[in-house]
Amino acid sequence: MIPGGGQPNMQQLLQQAQKMQQDLAQAQEELAQTEVDGQAGGGLVTATVTGAGELRALKIDPKAVDPEDTETLADLVVAAVQAANENAQALQQQKLGPLAQGLGGGGIPGLPF
C-alpha cells in the first residue's frame, strides 16, 4: 500500500516493467554478441567465450602440445575456459547488475547474482 492511501498508477508501473524487460533483452543480446578471452600457461592456451558463456574458440600454441604429457594440456584448456567464463561472468554483472538492482535489488531468478 502506498502512504497516503493513493493507488499506484498501474499504467506507469506496466510501462516501467516493459522498459526494464526491453533493457534486459537488449543487454542479453549484447552479451551474446560480445566475446571475451581467458588464458592459461602464460598464453599457451586461449579460450574465447561469449558474454553469455558460449565457447566460441580455443587456441593452443604448438609449444603446449607434448604427446607424452596430454594431462598438462588438458589442464591448461580447462583453466583457460574457466578464466574466460570468469571474465564472461564479470561482463554479465557489469551489463545486467544495474538492471537487476532496478528490479528491486533481489536479482533476477536464473541469473548468477
Side-chain angles (χ1 to χ4, degrees):
M1 188 153 184
I2 295 179
Q7 292 294 319
N9 181 335
M10 292 305 287
Q11 184 65 28
Q12 185 178 11
L13 288 175
L14 286 173
Q15 287 174 348
Q16 287 176 343
Q18 256 182 340
K19 171 133 178 44
M20 282 187 212
Q21 187 176 20
Q22 289 170 351
D23 290 347
L24 180 60
Q26 181 179 357
Q28 288 173 328
E29 180 63 28
E30 288 174 17
L31 284 171
Q33 300 301 319
T34 304
E35 293 184 348
V36 294
D37 290 335
Q39 296 183 350
L44 290 175
V45 177
T46 301
T48 302
V49 299
T50 66
E54 178 187 341
L55 182 63
R56 287 280 174 94
L58 186 63
K59 296 176 188 167
I60 301 173
D61 187 305
K63 291 182 247 172
V65 180
D66 178 357
E68 301 297 317
D69 185 14
T70 57
E71 288 180 19
T72 297
L73 177 56
D75 289 344
L76 290 174
V77 169
V78 168
V81 171
Q82 287 176 336
N85 279 328
E86 287 172 7
N87 291 337
Q89 287 178 354
L91 184 62
Q92 288 174 2
Q93 181 66 33
Q94 178 185 344
K95 290 251 184 218
L96 300 179
L99 293 173
Q101 289 175 357
L103 293 173
I108 301 170
L111 293 180
F113 46 84

